[in-house]
Amino acid sequence: MIKKAAVIGAGSWGTAFSLHLWRQKIKTKLWVREEEIFEELRSQRKNSLFLPEFTLPKDIFFTQSLAEAIDETEAIFVAVPSRYCRKIYREMANWIKPYQIVVSLTKGIEERTLMTMTEIMAEIFFVQPILAVLSGPSFAREVAAGLPTA
């Protein structure tokens, strides 16, 4: 069972997924790129731009450092738009360990190459972690609210 995880990306899906992990009693770190969202999360525990109706619990840790987010985690869930994934994977590559599980929460494929996100990860990462994909019909607000998906 996973005890420590990171969520890369604090949009609606990443924020909702960090709440889901927290509900599963998984120690969660949420990586936030945008300074204004990071400051709001730290001060008010809210992400008013992407998921305004939810307050994140004090147990979710926020960081703007990918190294800090990834360090000492067993699983890394990447929730960034597909057009930014290659860049983010390159930034993550130095800290990925072969024992970690890296899960793509990203919908779609890379427009230029038509590669899936796991294909891009396999190409970029220096070590080969366990790669996985989570997909299916769900909405960030429903996941954040703890509603079931199918």
Side-chain angles (χ1 to χ4, degrees):
M1 172 144 164
I2 296 169
K3 294 180 182 173
K4 296 179 183 177
V7 177
I8 308 302
S12 58
W13 188 215
T15 302
F17 205 78
S18 70
L19 275 167
H20 171 72
L21 293 173
W22 174 80
R23 283 190 193 100
Q24 304 308 308
K25 309 266 190 279
I26 297 171
K27 187 173 180 178
T28 303
K29 299 184 229 178
L30 178 59
W31 177 79
V32 187
R33 177 176 290 278
E34 301 87 351
E35 181 68 32
E36 60 278 359
I37 295 172
F38 177 70
E39 289 304 324
E40 181 184 35
L41 282 166
R42 282 188 44 199
S43 64
Q44 300 173 37
R45 310 213 60 87
K46 301 278 262 179
N47 186 340
S48 63
L49 182 62
F50 292 109
L51 215 55
E53 59 271 30
F54 296 92
T55 301
L56 278 72
K58 63 179 168 69
D59 298 341
I60 295 176
F61 176 78
F62 309 116
T63 183
Q64 288 196 286
S65 164
L66 280 170
E68 185 175 38
I70 292 169
D71 187 44
E72 297 182 7
T73 61
E74 299 151 323
I76 303 157
F77 297 88
V78 184
V80 298
S82 59
R83 67 181 173 272
Y84 302 118
C85 282
R86 183 175 289 273
K87 180 179 187 306
I88 295 298
Y89 298 155
R90 282 189 184 126
E91 292 175 27
M92 292 170 56
N94 291 321
W95 299 288
I96 298 292
K97 306 289 187 277
Y99 60 82
Q100 290 175 309
I101 302 165
V102 182
V103 182
S104 173
L105 303 179
T106 302
K107 295 174 183 155
I109 57 175
E110 186 177 50
E111 193 172 309
R112 180 179 55 82
T113 65
L114 304 180
M115 292 172 76
T116 65
M117 299 307 109
T118 52
E119 288 173 327
I120 298 168
M121 286 184 222
E123 177 183 288
I124 290 176
F125 292 159
F126 305 124
V127 298
Q128 288 304 302
I130 300 162
L131 301 178
V133 177
L134 177 71
S135 66
S138 61
F139 295 98
R141 282 177 175 74
E142 293 175 356
V143 170
L147 299 174
T149 62

